[in-house]
Amino acid sequence: MDRLDELRLFLAVLDSGGLAAAGRRLGHSPPAVTRMLAGLEARLGVRLIERTTRQIAPTDAGRRLADQARRLLADYAEAIEGAALEAATPRGRLRIAAPLVFGRLHVAPVVTAFLDAFPEVRVELLLSDAVADLLEEGIDIAVRIGAQPDSGFTLRRLGAIGRVVVASPAYLARHGTPARPEEVRAHAIIHFGRPGPAPEWIFAMPSGAPRAIPVMPRLTVNLAEAAVEAAIAGRGLLAALGYQVAAAVADGRLVRLLRDHEMPARPVALVFPSGRLMPRRLRAFIDFAAPRLERIAGEVHLLLGPKAGGSSAA
């Protein structure tokens, strides 16, 4: 018999007014009830019930234990009922991580629509270009762009987004359009990232082997949106992920360059802990968000247009 069963037995003795009646309620014989009650009193080192031939009554210690036991069992029942209810109805807190710009443009609208559909779920949306540690930071699910290490997490593939080189029409009119990857070194470069050693831009070559071209940025900025605005303003060439520049390419504010030399697109995926007993709110979000984010990845491809030669860049 576990500790909760001991408390249930003790309360049954008090509520039914006798050991035999408590035994009938719980399916135990009177001698078994007597042994169980005696064992509880012996373990606690205090008498809980005064017995006479006609009636039983709790001691002061017994009354205190009975009050606490009723609260404990009520809390336990409420917790079990709440867990079962959550299994049927999505509810509770969901922590979601996503890249900064992709999250602001595409994940945040999906999250707000999800909240409309599931009013008992609360969401904490964490937007950052730093790769979050799901377990350490208590994150339920993350949107990731790029190849993922075999970390034991489950991946739900959403599509792929490529890196493209762009510049404004005004910049190209003044400085010319690079026709080969090595020509980018003669141009002003905008670099999205942290300051550090000179970055390299990676291009696909006709031989099939990628080629790294070192570039010397004139402007380095750690916010993608600021880098895109600088490119639109004619400050130089920018290498960016397709979703970061798709709208500007589609409306002509930026021109996509060196399409034949773009590297294969990077996968976009939902990443979440593995396990059969997934919280209902997490399963509901995956089922709700995945098709919408898949459609967004396809729309980015349509906004950019196909690569020269017909292969997909995003």
Side-chain angles (χ1 to χ4, degrees), residues 177-187 203 205 211 213 237 257-258 261:
T177 300
R180 300 189 305 276
E182 56 269 21
E183 293 179 11
V184 301
R185 288 181 291 195
H187 288 265
F203 294 95
M205 305 304 290
R211 180 178 180 185
I213 304 294
L237 275 56
L257 309 171
L258 299 168
H261 297 283

PDB file of all heavy atoms in Angstrom, residues 177-187 203 205 211 213 237 257-258 261:
ATOM      1  N   THR A 177      28.011  45.109 -63.046  1.00  0.00           N
ATOM      2  CA  THR A 177      27.439  43.873 -62.517  1.00  0.00           C
ATOM      3  C   THR A 177      28.471  42.758 -62.574  1.00  0.00           C
ATOM      4  O   THR A 177      29.004  42.476 -63.665  1.00  0.00           O
ATOM      5  CB  THR A 177      26.199  43.465 -63.331  1.00  0.00           C
ATOM      6  OG1 THR A 177      25.217  44.509 -63.255  1.00  0.00           O
ATOM      7  CG2 THR A 177      25.598  42.166 -62.802  1.00  0.00           C
ATOM      8  N   PRO A 178      28.799  42.125 -61.451  1.00  0.00           N
ATOM      9  CA  PRO A 178      29.784  41.025 -61.495  1.00  0.00           C
ATOM     10  C   PRO A 178      29.230  39.847 -62.295  1.00  0.00           C
ATOM     11  O   PRO A 178      28.078  39.446 -62.128  1.00  0.00           O
ATOM     12  CB  PRO A 178      29.972  40.659 -60.018  1.00  0.00           C
ATOM     13  CG  PRO A 178      28.728  41.143 -59.332  1.00  0.00           C
ATOM     14  CD  PRO A 178      28.292  42.349 -60.079  1.00  0.00           C
ATOM     15  N   ALA A 179      30.072  39.306 -63.186  1.00  0.00           N
ATOM     16  CA  ALA A 179      29.657  38.176 -64.024  1.00  0.00           C
ATOM     17  C   ALA A 179      30.223  36.856 -63.517  1.00  0.00           C
ATOM     18  O   ALA A 179      29.710  35.788 -63.856  1.00  0.00           O
ATOM     19  CB  ALA A 179      30.113  38.405 -65.469  1.00  0.00           C
ATOM     20  N   ARG A 180      31.313  36.922 -62.720  1.00  0.00           N
ATOM     21  CA  ARG A 180      31.934  35.711 -62.171  1.00  0.00           C
ATOM     22  C   ARG A 180      32.158  35.919 -60.675  1.00  0.00           C
ATOM     23  O   ARG A 180      32.311  37.055 -60.193  1.00  0.00           O
ATOM     24  CB  ARG A 180      33.282  35.449 -62.859  1.00  0.00           C
ATOM     25  CG  ARG A 180      33.167  35.241 -64.360  1.00  0.00           C
ATOM     26  CD  ARG A 180      34.504  34.764 -64.956  1.00  0.00           C
ATOM     27  NE  ARG A 180      35.604  35.678 -64.626  1.00  0.00           N
ATOM     28  CZ  ARG A 180      35.895  36.786 -65.297  1.00  0.00           C
ATOM     29  NH1 ARG A 180      35.152  37.140 -66.344  1.00  0.00           N
ATOM     30  NH2 ARG A 180      36.911  37.535 -64.937  1.00  0.00           N
ATOM     31  N   PRO A 181      32.174  34.844 -59.886  1.00  0.00           N
ATOM     32  CA  PRO A 181      32.309  34.989 -58.430  1.00  0.00           C
ATOM     33  C   PRO A 181      33.508  35.813 -58.004  1.00  0.00           C
ATOM     34  O   PRO A 181      33.410  36.640 -57.085  1.00  0.00           O
ATOM     35  CB  PRO A 181      32.426  33.535 -57.954  1.00  0.00           C
ATOM     36  CG  PRO A 181      31.654  32.757 -58.954  1.00  0.00           C
ATOM     37  CD  PRO A 181      31.920  33.439 -60.272  1.00  0.00           C
ATOM     38  N   GLU A 182      34.653  35.638 -58.676  1.00  0.00           N
ATOM     39  CA  GLU A 182      35.859  36.356 -58.224  1.00  0.00           C
ATOM     40  C   GLU A 182      35.728  37.869 -58.401  1.00  0.00           C
ATOM     41  O   GLU A 182      36.461  38.640 -57.758  1.00  0.00           O
ATOM     42  CB  GLU A 182      37.102  35.840 -58.952  1.00  0.00           C
ATOM     43  CG  GLU A 182      37.021  35.908 -60.468  1.00  0.00           C
ATOM     44  CD  GLU A 182      36.474  34.637 -61.083  1.00  0.00           C
ATOM     45  OE1 GLU A 182      35.786  33.877 -60.351  1.00  0.00           O
ATOM     46  OE2 GLU A 182      36.737  34.406 -62.281  1.00  0.00           O
ATOM     47  N   GLU A 183      34.802  38.315 -59.231  1.00  0.00           N
ATOM     48  CA  GLU A 183      34.645  39.751 -59.454  1.00  0.00           C
ATOM     49  C   GLU A 183      34.009  40.469 -58.266  1.00  0.00           C
ATOM     50  O   GLU A 183      34.052  41.708 -58.203  1.00  0.00           O
ATOM     51  CB  GLU A 183      33.814  39.993 -60.720  1.00  0.00           C
ATOM     52  CG  GLU A 183      34.522  39.551 -61.990  1.00  0.00           C
ATOM     53  CD  GLU A 183      33.667  39.776 -63.228  1.00  0.00           C
ATOM     54  OE1 GLU A 183      32.625  40.456 -63.133  1.00  0.00           O
ATOM     55  OE2 GLU A 183      34.043  39.248 -64.306  1.00  0.00           O
ATOM     56  N   VAL A 184      33.427  39.735 -57.328  1.00  0.00           N
ATOM     57  CA  VAL A 184      32.807  40.415 -56.175  1.00  0.00           C
ATOM     58  C   VAL A 184      33.864  41.133 -55.339  1.00  0.00           C
ATOM     59  O   VAL A 184      33.554  42.096 -54.628  1.00  0.00           O
ATOM     60  CB  VAL A 184      31.999  39.434 -55.298  1.00  0.00           C
ATOM     61  CG1 VAL A 184      30.907  38.753 -56.099  1.00  0.00           C
ATOM     62  CG2 VAL A 184      32.897  38.411 -54.622  1.00  0.00           C
ATOM     63  N   ARG A 185      35.123  40.691 -55.423  1.00  0.00           N
ATOM     64  CA  ARG A 185      36.175  41.332 -54.621  1.00  0.00           C
ATOM     65  C   ARG A 185      36.436  42.768 -55.045  1.00  0.00           C
ATOM     66  O   ARG A 185      37.019  43.545 -54.294  1.00  0.00           O
ATOM     67  CB  ARG A 185      37.454  40.504 -54.709  1.00  0.00           C
ATOM     68  CG  ARG A 185      37.369  39.204 -53.936  1.00  0.00           C
ATOM     69  CD  ARG A 185      38.636  38.401 -53.992  1.00  0.00           C
ATOM     70  NE  ARG A 185      38.888  37.866 -55.315  1.00  0.00           N
ATOM     71  CZ  ARG A 185      39.769  36.903 -55.574  1.00  0.00           C
ATOM     72  NH1 ARG A 185      40.492  36.384 -54.599  1.00  0.00           N
ATOM     73  NH2 ARG A 185      39.936  36.466 -56.800  1.00  0.00           N
ATOM     74  N   ALA A 186      36.021  43.133 -56.251  1.00  0.00           N
ATOM     75  CA  ALA A 186      36.217  44.509 -56.725  1.00  0.00           C
ATOM     76  C   ALA A 186      35.081  45.425 -56.294  1.00  0.00           C
ATOM     77  O   ALA A 186      35.103  46.616 -56.614  1.00  0.00           O
ATOM     78  CB  ALA A 186      36.347  44.516 -58.250  1.00  0.00           C
ATOM     79  N   HIS A 187      34.116  44.909 -55.564  1.00  0.00           N
ATOM     80  CA  HIS A 187      32.934  45.679 -55.197  1.00  0.00           C
ATOM     81  C   HIS A 187      32.899  45.974 -53.698  1.00  0.00           C
ATOM     82  O   HIS A 187      33.552  45.285 -52.886  1.00  0.00           O
ATOM     83  CB  HIS A 187      31.667  44.920 -55.587  1.00  0.00           C
ATOM     84  CG  HIS A 187      31.418  44.884 -57.058  1.00  0.00           C
ATOM     85  ND1 HIS A 187      30.607  45.790 -57.702  1.00  0.00           N
ATOM     86  CD2 HIS A 187      31.916  44.058 -58.039  1.00  0.00           C
ATOM     87  CE1 HIS A 187      30.579  45.522 -58.996  1.00  0.00           C
ATOM     88  NE2 HIS A 187      31.372  44.477 -59.231  1.00  0.00           N
ATOM     89  N   PHE A 203      30.676  29.971 -53.426  1.00  0.00           N
ATOM     90  CA  PHE A 203      29.954  29.884 -54.694  1.00  0.00           C
ATOM     91  C   PHE A 203      30.093  28.488 -55.286  1.00  0.00           C
ATOM     92  O   PHE A 203      31.121  27.812 -55.105  1.00  0.00           O
ATOM     93  CB  PHE A 203      30.498  30.907 -55.698  1.00  0.00           C
ATOM     94  CG  PHE A 203      30.264  32.336 -55.305  1.00  0.00           C
ATOM     95  CD1 PHE A 203      31.232  33.052 -54.627  1.00  0.00           C
ATOM     96  CD2 PHE A 203      29.064  32.967 -55.616  1.00  0.00           C
ATOM     97  CE1 PHE A 203      31.022  34.388 -54.268  1.00  0.00           C
ATOM     98  CE2 PHE A 203      28.842  34.292 -55.256  1.00  0.00           C
ATOM     99  CZ  PHE A 203      29.822  35.003 -54.584  1.00  0.00           C
ATOM    100  N   MET A 205      30.680  26.165 -58.511  1.00  0.00           N
ATOM    101  CA  MET A 205      31.413  26.321 -59.765  1.00  0.00           C
ATOM    102  C   MET A 205      30.987  25.244 -60.762  1.00  0.00           C
ATOM    103  O   MET A 205      30.448  24.201 -60.384  1.00  0.00           O
ATOM    104  CB  MET A 205      32.922  26.245 -59.503  1.00  0.00           C
ATOM    105  CG  MET A 205      33.411  27.250 -58.462  1.00  0.00           C
ATOM    106  SD  MET A 205      32.997  28.976 -58.866  1.00  0.00           S
ATOM    107  CE  MET A 205      34.088  29.242 -60.266  1.00  0.00           C
ATOM    108  N   ARG A 211      33.604  27.132 -54.354  1.00  0.00           N
ATOM    109  CA  ARG A 211      34.785  27.997 -54.290  1.00  0.00           C
ATOM    110  C   ARG A 211      34.533  29.097 -53.270  1.00  0.00           C
ATOM    111  O   ARG A 211      33.484  29.755 -53.289  1.00  0.00           O
ATOM    112  CB  ARG A 211      35.083  28.610 -55.645  1.00  0.00           C
ATOM    113  CG  ARG A 211      36.311  29.514 -55.620  1.00  0.00           C
ATOM    114  CD  ARG A 211      36.638  30.072 -56.981  1.00  0.00           C
ATOM    115  NE  ARG A 211      37.807  30.927 -56.929  1.00  0.00           N
ATOM    116  CZ  ARG A 211      38.273  31.635 -57.957  1.00  0.00           C
ATOM    117  NH1 ARG A 211      37.653  31.557 -59.138  1.00  0.00           N
ATOM    118  NH2 ARG A 211      39.334  32.400 -57.824  1.00  0.00           N
ATOM    119  N   ILE A 213      35.405  32.683 -51.819  1.00  0.00           N
ATOM    120  CA  ILE A 213      35.982  33.956 -52.238  1.00  0.00           C
ATOM    121  C   ILE A 213      36.093  34.857 -51.006  1.00  0.00           C
ATOM    122  O   ILE A 213      35.075  35.262 -50.434  1.00  0.00           O
ATOM    123  CB  ILE A 213      35.106  34.650 -53.298  1.00  0.00           C
ATOM    124  CG1 ILE A 213      34.883  33.729 -54.504  1.00  0.00           C
ATOM    125  CG2 ILE A 213      35.721  35.974 -53.715  1.00  0.00           C
ATOM    126  CD1 ILE A 213      36.130  33.432 -55.291  1.00  0.00           C
ATOM    127  N   LEU A 237      27.245  45.117 -52.423  1.00  0.00           N
ATOM    128  CA  LEU A 237      26.715  43.783 -52.610  1.00  0.00           C
ATOM    129  C   LEU A 237      26.450  43.143 -51.247  1.00  0.00           C
ATOM    130  O   LEU A 237      27.218  43.344 -50.296  1.00  0.00           O
ATOM    131  CB  LEU A 237      27.708  42.909 -53.392  1.00  0.00           C
ATOM    132  CG  LEU A 237      27.691  42.958 -54.924  1.00  0.00           C
ATOM    133  CD1 LEU A 237      27.873  44.378 -55.449  1.00  0.00           C
ATOM    134  CD2 LEU A 237      28.764  42.029 -55.485  1.00  0.00           C
ATOM    135  N   LEU A 257      22.060  38.387 -58.197  1.00  0.00           N
ATOM    136  CA  LEU A 257      23.259  38.260 -59.011  1.00  0.00           C
ATOM    137  C   LEU A 257      23.818  36.832 -58.956  1.00  0.00           C
ATOM    138  O   LEU A 257      23.570  36.102 -58.001  1.00  0.00           O
ATOM    139  CB  LEU A 257      24.329  39.237 -58.519  1.00  0.00           C
ATOM    140  CG  LEU A 257      23.898  40.697 -58.360  1.00  0.00           C
ATOM    141  CD1 LEU A 257      24.989  41.494 -57.660  1.00  0.00           C
ATOM    142  CD2 LEU A 257      23.541  41.303 -59.711  1.00  0.00           C
ATOM    143  N   LEU A 258      24.597  36.478 -59.961  1.00  0.00           N
ATOM    144  CA  LEU A 258      25.382  35.240 -59.968  1.00  0.00           C
ATOM    145  C   LEU A 258      24.521  34.012 -59.674  1.00  0.00           C
ATOM    146  O   LEU A 258      24.897  33.118 -58.919  1.00  0.00           O
ATOM    147  CB  LEU A 258      26.542  35.345 -58.960  1.00  0.00           C
ATOM    148  CG  LEU A 258      27.549  36.477 -59.240  1.00  0.00           C
ATOM    149  CD1 LEU A 258      28.461  36.678 -58.042  1.00  0.00           C
ATOM    150  CD2 LEU A 258      28.353  36.164 -60.499  1.00  0.00           C
ATOM    151  N   HIS A 261      25.810  30.436 -59.833  1.00  0.00           N
ATOM    152  CA  HIS A 261      26.837  30.055 -58.861  1.00  0.00           C
ATOM    153  C   HIS A 261      26.293  29.969 -57.432  1.00  0.00           C
ATOM    154  O   HIS A 261      27.077  29.910 -56.483  1.00  0.00           O
ATOM    155  CB  HIS A 261      27.993  31.065 -58.924  1.00  0.00           C
ATOM    156  CG  HIS A 261      28.694  31.082 -60.252  1.00  0.00           C
ATOM    157  ND1 HIS A 261      29.599  30.121 -60.632  1.00  0.00           N
ATOM    158  CD2 HIS A 261      28.585  31.943 -61.306  1.00  0.00           C
ATOM    159  CE1 HIS A 261      30.038  30.385 -61.852  1.00  0.00           C
ATOM    160  NE2 HIS A 261      29.445  31.494 -62.280  1.00  0.00           N
TER     161      HIS A 261
END
